[in-house]
Amino acid sequence: MVDSLGVAVVGFGWMGRVHTQAYARVLHHYPQLGLRPQLITVAEEVPGRAEEAAAQFGFAATTRDWRDVAADPRVQAVSITAPNFLHREIGVAMAEAGKHIWIEKPVGLSAADARAVADAVATAGVQGAVGFNYRNAPAVEAARELIASGAIGTVTHVRIRLFSDYAAHPEGALTWRYEKERGGSGVLGDLASHGTDLARHLLGDIESLTADTAVFIPERARPTGATAGHTRATGGELGPVENEDYVNCLLRFASGARGVLEACRVSVGEQNNYGFEVHGTKGAVFWDFRRMNELGVSRGTSYQDQPVSTVYVGPGDGEFGAFQPGAANAMGMDDLKVIEAHRFLRSIAEGKPYGATLPDAVHSAAALEAMVRSAESGSWVSVPS
């Protein structure tokens, strides 16, 4: 017997579409789940966008006001994929209405915002999942197990990179993403939030850090209408870019390991160049998101001149077996969100968390705020545990 679960999606840009597609696919890959997502409502304030989503994906209802979702007894779980400045208000309201929430990072504009949503989820006794999708890659899970097993020895240092060109064009419109009041901390929230989550997921708590930030495109043209994604605008009134294009950061982990995290949204020539290199006393492990299903692994007793082997993930690694029958068959970005949907829905079905949670978002947000304080002061800053 498969129980039906009424779900809604609030905010139907690219990520809202990805969440919706994940709900539609999840039982294809996890038929044993025991919950069948039923698309009840899509909420989107841009005129016509919700209706288009309903026609394409089969939502039973549409609305331009997310509050209608909170009041709808048919809705039991909500994906929150609206802009960052709305995360706290919507997340708290949905939890207080008794809805389970799957919310995109960085969960608001500050650690206080993330903590408020986390507290509301805990108080309401509902489940809360967060969109740290890169940790769901089977190769990342394999790397985490490899590190934890001691196969590369004691971890000494890590480098994490998140380079993208989505904001590299100088004609990119001055949308909410570039405003502190609505977008928060720029590339820190967009990309470095994933980096801090990966760092902690792989190596444990970050104890302290020092960071430097920069804005490389200081002005952009204001759009004349509704925007979606990374729209270009020309001829409009120029306005200031208020948050960071770039961050580099030195990390000290509670384990004693050291790290470097670098993120940039205006890297010409870089298209989603995300990955990490973890070095230990006996070996190393390397991952590149653009080659998502493989790892570079060095282990053994040679130390000097020790070779690196390419390892293709297979059904024994993470959730790979739910998607492909044998190693080296490719998985893609959208598959990571199906894994995330499965873990969210499994959390609801079993009443205990699976995957990234609101406390994980609080830890990430605390590290991002430490980066901001460090960049302002030029000093090392402790990261609250």
Side-chain angles (χ1 to χ4, degrees):
M1 179 70 178
V2 179
D3 294 329
S4 179
L5 183 82
V7 301
V9 175
V10 176
F12 207 81
W14 169 60
M15 192 52 67
R17 178 180 297 271
V18 173
H19 276 233
T20 302
Q21 291 170 169
Y23 286 129
R25 291 178 54 197
V26 67
L27 284 181
H28 299 167
H29 299 279
Y30 299 97
Q32 75 284 4
L33 177 59
L35 283 178
R36 181 182 300 278
Q38 181 181 359
L39 299 177
I40 301 296
T41 305
V42 54
E44 171 56 63
E45 64 176 14
V46 175
R49 192 179 289 174
E51 289 74 17
E52 290 176 7
Q56 182 174 0
F57 294 101
F59 287 95
T62 65
T63 181
R64 292 182 64 182
D65 189 344
W66 60 263
R67 294 169 185 81
D68 294 338
V69 174
D72 192 339
R74 298 174 298 169
V75 175
Q76 297 155 284
V78 181
S79 280
I80 301 171
T81 55
N84 298 350
F85 66 96
L86 296 171
H87 284 187
R88 176 173 181 164
E89 183 181 11
I90 297 174
V92 169
M94 294 302 174
E96 290 178 345
K99 320 291 189 188
H100 306 285
I101 64 171
W102 176 13
I103 186 168
E104 277 304 313
K105 37 60 62 183
V107 189
L109 305 179
S110 65
D113 285 355
R115 198 171 290 112
V117 179
D119 289 346
V121 164
T123 299
V126 296
Q127 296 299 317
V130 180
F132 289 126
N133 45 274
Y134 299 111
R135 64 155 64 187
N136 299 325
V140 172
E141 300 204 51
R144 186 171 188 248
E145 291 184 7
L146 193 72
I147 293 164
S149 74
I152 65 170
T154 301
V155 172
T156 54
H157 59 103
V158 59
R159 182 170 67 172
I160 298 172
R161 68 187 184 281
L162 298 112
F163 298 145
S164 185
D165 64 355
Y166 67 81
H169 203 292
E171 294 178 0
L174 187 70
T175 65
W176 61 266
R177 290 185 179 277
Y178 303 101
E179 301 172 2
K180 285 188 177 180
E181 186 176 346
R182 296 194 297 165
S185 57
V187 76
L188 274 69
D190 278 357
L191 295 180
S193 58
H194 283 297
T196 55
D197 181 68
L198 282 173
R200 182 168 168 268
H201 188 60
L202 293 169
L203 303 184
D205 285 344
I206 301 168
E207 193 172 72
S208 60
L209 56 80
T210 184
D212 183 34
T213 63
V215 177
F216 296 132
I217 302 178
E219 290 186 319
R220 294 179 182 273
R222 300 184 188 281
T224 56
T227 61
H230 304 290
T231 305
R232 293 184 191 176
T234 57
E237 178 189 357
L238 291 178
V241 171
E242 299 175 348
N243 52 31
E244 308 85 356
D245 287 330
Y246 171 83
V247 61
N248 67 65
C249 184
L250 299 180
L251 308 170
R252 291 175 178 165
F253 292 86
S255 66
R258 298 297 194 262
V260 177
L261 189 158
E262 191 176 14
C264 186
R265 64 188 181 187
V266 297
S267 297
V268 174
E270 301 281 13
Q271 296 85 41
N272 298 331
N273 181 358
Y274 310 152
F276 56 74
E277 304 152 18
V278 181
H279 293 267
T281 53
K282 297 194 298 185
V285 59
F286 310 88
W287 181 68
D288 186 331
F289 172 64
R290 298 164 302 176
R291 304 174 71 91
M292 192 178 83
N293 304 294
E294 60 187 70
L295 287 175
V297 179
S298 177
R299 53 182 167 178
T301 57
S302 299
Y303 300 100
Q304 188 176 6
D305 298 327
Q306 185 164 286
V308 177
S309 299
T310 298
V311 177
Y312 298 103
V313 294
D317 299 307
E319 298 292 323
F320 188 91
F323 296 84
Q324 298 293 350
N329 285 290
M331 289 177 61
M333 163 70 187
D334 285 7
D335 295 329
L336 302 185
K337 299 309 266 192
V338 175
I339 294 171
E340 209 164 274
H342 169 247
R343 290 176 173 168
F344 173 49
L345 296 171
R346 185 182 177 191
S347 298
I348 296 169
E350 299 183 19
K352 58 182 181 180
Y354 291 93
T357 63
L358 269 302
D360 293 318
V362 173
H363 281 289
S364 175
L368 299 182
E369 288 195 348
M371 290 181 197
V372 173
R373 294 198 304 274
S374 175
E376 291 173 347
S377 67
S379 61
W380 283 87
V381 174
S382 297
V383 180
S385 58

Coordinates of all heavy atoms in Angstrom, one line a residue, residues 76-127:
Q76 N 0.8 18.6 2.6 CA 1.6 18.0 3.8 C 3.1 18.3 3.8 O 3.7 18.3 4.8 CB 1.3 16.5 3.9 CG -0.2 16.2 4.1 CD -0.4 14.8 3.6 OE1 -0.6 14.5 2.4 NE2 -0.6 13.8 4.6
A77 N 3.6 18.6 2.6 CA 5.0 18.8 2.4 C 5.2 19.9 1.4 O 4.5 20.0 0.4 CB 5.7 17.6 2.0
V78 N 6.2 20.8 1.6 CA 6.4 21.9 0.7 C 7.9 22.1 0.3 O 8.8 22.0 1.2 CB 6.0 23.2 1.4 CG1 6.1 24.4 0.5 CG2 4.5 23.1 1.9
S79 N 8.1 22.2 -1.0 CA 9.4 22.6 -1.5 C 9.5 24.2 -1.5 O 8.6 24.8 -2.1 CB 9.7 22.1 -2.9 OG 10.1 20.7 -2.8
I80 N 10.5 24.7 -0.9 CA 10.6 26.2 -0.8 C 11.8 26.6 -1.7 O 13.0 26.4 -1.3 CB 10.8 26.7 0.6 CG1 9.6 26.3 1.5 CG2 11.0 28.2 0.7 CD1 9.8 26.5 3.0
T81 N 11.5 27.0 -2.9 CA 12.6 27.4 -3.9 C 12.4 28.8 -4.3 O 12.8 29.2 -5.5 CB 12.4 26.4 -5.1 OG1 11.1 26.4 -5.6 CG2 12.8 25.0 -4.7
A82 N 11.9 29.6 -3.5 CA 11.7 31.1 -3.7 C 13.1 31.8 -3.5 O 14.0 31.2 -2.9 CB 10.7 31.6 -2.8
P83 N 13.2 33.1 -3.8 CA 14.4 33.8 -3.5 C 14.8 33.8 -2.0 O 14.0 33.6 -1.1 CB 14.1 35.2 -4.0 CG 13.1 35.0 -5.1 CD 12.3 33.9 -4.6
N84 N 16.1 34.0 -1.8 CA 16.7 33.8 -0.5 C 16.0 34.6 0.6 O 15.8 34.2 1.7 CB 18.2 34.2 -0.5 CG 19.0 33.3 -1.4 OD1 18.6 32.3 -1.9 ND2 20.3 33.7 -1.6
F85 N 15.6 35.9 0.3 CA 15.1 36.8 1.3 C 13.7 36.3 1.8 O 13.2 36.8 2.9 CB 15.0 38.2 0.8 CG 14.0 38.4 -0.3 CD1 12.7 38.9 -0.1 CD2 14.4 38.2 -1.7 CE1 11.8 39.1 -1.2 CE2 13.5 38.4 -2.7 CZ 12.2 38.8 -2.5
L86 N 13.1 35.4 1.1 CA 11.8 34.9 1.5 C 11.9 33.6 2.3 O 10.9 33.1 2.9 CB 10.9 34.6 0.3 CG 10.5 35.9 -0.5 CD1 9.8 35.4 -1.8 CD2 9.6 36.8 0.3
H87 N 13.1 33.0 2.4 CA 13.2 31.6 3.0 C 12.7 31.6 4.4 O 12.0 30.7 4.9 CB 14.6 31.2 2.9 CG 15.0 30.7 1.5 ND1 16.3 30.1 1.3 CD2 14.4 30.8 0.3 CE1 16.4 29.8 0.0 NE2 15.2 30.2 -0.6
R88 N 13.2 32.6 5.2 CA 12.8 32.5 6.7 C 11.3 32.7 6.9 O 10.7 31.8 7.6 CB 13.5 33.7 7.4 CG 13.1 33.7 8.9 CD 14.0 34.7 9.6 NE 13.6 34.8 11.1 CZ 14.4 35.3 12.0 NH1 15.5 35.9 11.7 NH2 13.9 35.3 13.3
E89 N 10.7 33.6 6.2 CA 9.3 33.9 6.4 C 8.5 32.6 6.0 O 7.6 32.2 6.7 CB 8.8 35.1 5.7 CG 7.3 35.5 5.9 CD 6.9 36.7 5.1 OE1 7.7 37.1 4.2 OE2 5.8 37.1 5.4
I90 N 8.8 32.1 4.8 CA 8.0 31.0 4.3 C 8.3 29.8 5.1 O 7.4 29.0 5.4 CB 8.3 30.8 2.8 CG1 7.9 32.0 2.0 CG2 7.6 29.5 2.3 CD1 8.3 31.9 0.5
G91 N 9.6 29.5 5.4 CA 10.0 28.3 6.1 C 9.3 28.2 7.5 O 8.8 27.2 7.8
V92 N 9.4 29.3 8.2 CA 8.8 29.3 9.5 C 7.3 29.1 9.4 O 6.7 28.3 10.2 CB 9.1 30.6 10.3 CG1 8.3 30.8 11.5 CG2 10.6 30.7 10.6
A93 N 6.6 29.8 8.5 CA 5.2 29.7 8.4 C 4.7 28.3 8.0 O 3.7 27.8 8.5 CB 4.7 30.7 7.3
M94 N 5.5 27.7 7.1 CA 5.1 26.3 6.7 C 5.3 25.3 7.8 O 4.4 24.5 8.1 CB 5.9 25.9 5.5 CG 5.6 26.7 4.2 SD 3.9 26.6 3.7 CE 4.0 27.8 2.3
A95 N 6.4 25.5 8.6 CA 6.6 24.6 9.7 C 5.5 24.8 10.8 O 4.9 23.8 11.3 CB 8.0 24.8 10.3
E96 N 5.2 26.0 11.0 CA 4.1 26.3 12.0 C 2.8 25.8 11.6 O 1.9 25.5 12.4 CB 4.1 27.8 12.3 CG 5.3 28.3 13.1 CD 5.3 29.8 13.4 OE1 4.5 30.5 12.7 OE2 6.1 30.3 14.2
A97 N 2.6 25.7 10.3 CA 1.3 25.1 9.7 C 1.3 23.6 9.7 O 0.4 23.0 9.2 CB 1.1 25.7 8.3
G98 N 2.4 23.0 10.2 CA 2.5 21.6 10.2 C 3.0 20.9 9.0 O 2.8 19.7 8.8
K99 N 3.6 21.7 8.1 CA 4.1 21.1 6.8 C 5.6 20.7 6.9 O 6.4 21.5 7.5 CB 4.0 22.2 5.7 CG 2.7 23.0 5.6 CD 1.5 22.3 5.3 CE 0.3 23.2 5.1 NZ -1.0 22.5 5.0
H100 N 5.9 19.6 6.4 CA 7.3 19.2 6.2 C 7.9 20.1 5.2 O 7.2 20.4 4.2 CB 7.4 17.8 5.9 CG 6.7 16.8 6.8 ND1 7.2 16.5 8.0 CD2 5.6 16.1 6.6 CE1 6.4 15.6 8.6 NE2 5.4 15.4 7.8
I101 N 9.2 20.5 5.3 CA 9.7 21.4 4.3 C 11.1 20.9 3.7 O 11.9 20.4 4.4 CB 9.9 22.8 4.9 CG1 11.0 22.9 6.0 CG2 8.6 23.4 5.3 CD1 11.4 24.3 6.5
W102 N 11.2 21.1 2.4 CA 12.4 20.8 1.7 C 12.8 22.2 1.1 O 12.1 22.7 0.2 CB 12.2 19.8 0.6 CG 13.3 19.5 -0.3 CD1 14.6 19.9 -0.2 CD2 13.2 18.8 -1.6 NE1 15.4 19.4 -1.2 CE2 14.5 18.8 -2.1 CE3 12.2 18.2 -2.3 CZ2 14.8 18.1 -3.3 CZ3 12.5 17.6 -3.5 CH2 13.8 17.5 -4.0
I103 N 13.9 22.8 1.7 CA 14.2 24.2 1.4 C 15.5 24.3 0.8 O 16.5 23.6 1.2 CB 14.1 25.0 2.7 CG1 14.2 26.5 2.4 CG2 15.0 24.6 3.8 CD1 13.8 27.4 3.6
E104 N 15.7 25.2 -0.2 CA 17.0 25.4 -0.8 C 17.9 26.2 0.1 O 17.5 27.1 0.8 CB 16.8 26.1 -2.2 CG 16.4 25.1 -3.3 CD 17.5 23.9 -3.4 OE1 18.7 24.2 -3.4 OE2 17.0 22.8 -3.5
K105 N 19.2 25.9 -0.1 CA 20.2 26.7 0.6 C 20.3 28.1 0.0 O 19.8 28.3 -1.2 CB 21.6 26.0 0.6 CG 22.0 25.3 -0.7 CD 22.0 26.1 -2.0 CE 23.0 27.2 -2.0 NZ 23.0 27.9 -3.3
P106 N 20.7 29.1 0.7 CA 21.3 29.1 2.0 C 20.4 29.2 3.2 O 20.8 29.6 4.3 CB 22.3 30.2 2.0 CG 21.6 31.3 1.1 CD 20.9 30.5 0.1
V107 N 19.1 29.0 3.0 CA 18.1 29.1 4.0 C 18.1 30.5 4.7 O 18.4 30.7 5.8 CB 18.2 28.0 5.1 CG1 17.0 28.0 6.1 CG2 18.3 26.6 4.5
G108 N 17.8 31.5 3.8 CA 17.7 32.8 4.3 C 18.9 33.6 4.0 O 19.8 33.3 3.3
L109 N 19.0 34.8 4.7 CA 20.1 35.7 4.5 C 21.2 35.7 5.6 O 22.2 36.4 5.5 CB 19.5 37.1 4.4 CG 18.5 37.4 3.4 CD1 18.0 38.8 3.4 CD2 18.9 37.0 2.0
S110 N 21.0 34.9 6.6 CA 21.9 34.9 7.8 C 21.8 33.6 8.6 O 20.8 32.8 8.4 CB 21.5 36.1 8.7 OG 20.2 35.9 9.3
A111 N 22.7 33.4 9.5 CA 22.6 32.3 10.4 C 21.4 32.4 11.3 O 20.7 31.4 11.6 CB 23.9 32.2 11.3
A112 N 21.0 33.6 11.6 CA 19.7 33.8 12.4 C 18.5 33.3 11.6 O 17.6 32.7 12.2 CB 19.6 35.3 12.8
D113 N 18.5 33.6 10.3 CA 17.4 33.1 9.5 C 17.3 31.6 9.5 O 16.3 30.9 9.7 CB 17.5 33.6 8.1 CG 17.1 35.1 7.9 OD1 16.7 35.7 8.9 OD2 17.3 35.6 6.8
A114 N 18.5 31.0 9.2 CA 18.6 29.5 9.2 C 18.2 28.9 10.5 O 17.4 27.9 10.6 CB 20.0 29.0 8.8
R115 N 18.6 29.5 11.6 CA 18.3 29.0 13.0 C 16.8 29.2 13.3 O 16.2 28.3 13.9 CB 19.1 29.8 14.0 CG 19.3 29.1 15.3 CD 20.3 29.8 16.2 NE 21.6 29.6 15.7 CZ 22.4 30.6 15.2 NH1 21.9 31.8 15.1 NH2 23.6 30.3 14.8
A116 N 16.2 30.2 12.8 CA 14.8 30.4 13.0 C 14.0 29.3 12.3 O 13.0 28.8 12.9 CB 14.3 31.8 12.5
V117 N 14.3 29.0 11.1 CA 13.6 27.9 10.4 C 13.9 26.6 11.1 O 13.0 25.8 11.2 CB 14.1 27.9 8.9 CG1 13.3 26.7 8.2 CG2 13.8 29.2 8.2
A118 N 15.1 26.3 11.5 CA 15.5 25.1 12.2 C 14.7 25.0 13.5 O 14.1 23.9 13.8 CB 17.0 25.0 12.5
D119 N 14.6 26.1 14.2 CA 13.8 26.0 15.5 C 12.3 25.8 15.2 O 11.7 25.0 16.0 CB 14.0 27.4 16.2 CG 15.4 27.5 16.8 OD1 16.1 26.5 16.9 OD2 15.7 28.7 17.2
A120 N 11.8 26.4 14.2 CA 10.4 26.2 13.8 C 10.1 24.7 13.5 O 9.1 24.2 13.9 CB 9.9 27.1 12.7
V121 N 11.0 24.1 12.7 CA 10.9 22.7 12.3 C 10.9 21.8 13.5 O 10.1 20.9 13.7 CB 12.0 22.4 11.3 CG1 12.1 20.9 11.2 CG2 11.7 23.0 9.9
A122 N 11.9 22.1 14.4 CA 12.0 21.3 15.6 C 10.8 21.4 16.5 O 10.3 20.4 17.1 CB 13.3 21.7 16.4
T123 N 10.3 22.7 16.7 CA 9.1 22.9 17.6 C 7.9 22.2 17.0 O 7.1 21.7 17.8 CB 8.9 24.4 17.7 OG1 10.1 25.0 18.3 CG2 7.7 24.7 18.6
A124 N 7.7 22.3 15.7 CA 6.5 21.7 15.1 C 6.6 20.2 15.0 O 5.6 19.6 14.7 CB 6.3 22.3 13.7
G125 N 7.8 19.6 15.1 CA 7.9 18.2 15.0 C 7.8 17.7 13.6 O 7.4 16.5 13.4
V126 N 8.1 18.6 12.6 CA 8.0 18.2 11.2 C 9.4 17.9 10.7 O 10.4 18.1 11.4 CB 7.4 19.2 10.3 CG1 5.9 19.4 10.7 CG2 8.1 20.6 10.4
Q127 N 9.6 17.3 9.5 CA 10.9 17.1 8.9 C 11.3 18.2 8.1 O 10.5 18.9 7.4 CB 10.8 15.8 8.1 CG 10.5 14.5 8.9 CD 11.6 14.3 10.0 OE1 12.8 14.4 9.7 NE2 11.1 13.9 11.2

